[in-house]
Amino acid sequence: MRAREGAGDIEMALAEPFEIDGHTAANATLVISSTGVTIKGDVTSSDAISFGDVELKSAFIEVTLQKGADGSSVALGGEIEFEGIVLDAVVHLYKGTDSKTQWTAFASLSAPGKTLAFSTLVPALKGSFLDLALSQVVFVAASQDDPFVPSVVST
């Protein structure tokens, strides 16, 4: 374990992998701050993690434990491929009202110069004036309607 201190936070590289819900994470870091603890590592137990039809590749896992239960969360991040375009993504995991694990996936196209033709989503628009080149696009998929937009979503 190597420790580094900066801006009031202590960051440590963990020598051992950790496991959450059957997924092993390696190359993990532990950050301790005045507001809580964050553990983040690369998922090494599989090539991809599936959530229904959504497949997350090059995945990492991040567990945040903050003072007070409302700030704590588990998220998986990585890449989702859609129509040949690779999107950065994060999947927020949470317990539903039925106590089962639910998920909401957020994927964004934000790379400079990357666009998505609207006709890719609605083929009938191909060649029309509505076939716009979209940039800064966000996609959302969920296992159920999520009344709470978590703090892992950045605008």
Side-chain angles (χ1 to χ4, degrees):
M1 182 173 355
R2 296 181 312 273
R4 185 176 70 178
E5 194 169 342
D9 297 348
I10 298 172
E11 182 176 330
M12 293 178 256
L14 303 179
E16 295 293 320
F18 67 97
E19 185 174 313
I20 294 180
D21 197 27
H23 298 290
T24 303
N27 305 321
T29 58
L30 170 72
V31 177
I32 302 170
S33 70
S34 61
T35 59
V37 175
T38 299
I39 303 170
K40 182 177 179 179
D42 298 328
V43 174
T44 58
S45 56
S46 61
D47 291 334
I49 301 171
S50 296
F51 299 92
D53 292 336
V54 177
E55 191 172 87
L56 188 67
K57 296 182 179 180
S58 302
F60 66 85
I61 189 165
E62 183 172 295
V63 179
T64 303
L65 305 170
Q66 294 185 346
K67 291 182 181 176
D70 292 340
S72 299
S73 67
V74 176
L76 294 166
E79 298 173 340
I80 294 174
E81 186 174 335
F82 177 77
E83 296 295 330
I85 298 172
V86 177
L87 306 167
D88 293 327
V90 66
V91 180
H92 174 242
L93 304 174
Y94 61 97
K95 290 284 184 198
T97 54
D98 58 0
S99 295
K100 292 182 181 175
T101 300
Q102 302 297 331
W103 56 269
T104 303
F106 303 89
S108 66
L109 172 66
S110 56
K114 292 277 188 175
T115 61
L116 176 66
F118 201 37
S119 61
T120 304
L121 304 172
V122 184
L125 298 177
K126 188 164 184 81
S128 76
F129 72 96
L130 292 174
D131 193 7
L132 305 171
L134 305 174
S135 62
Q136 303 294 321
V137 179
V138 175
F139 297 92
V140 178
S143 58
Q144 69 175 17
D145 285 340
D146 188 357
F148 172 72
V149 177
S151 61
V152 296
V153 180
S154 61
T155 54

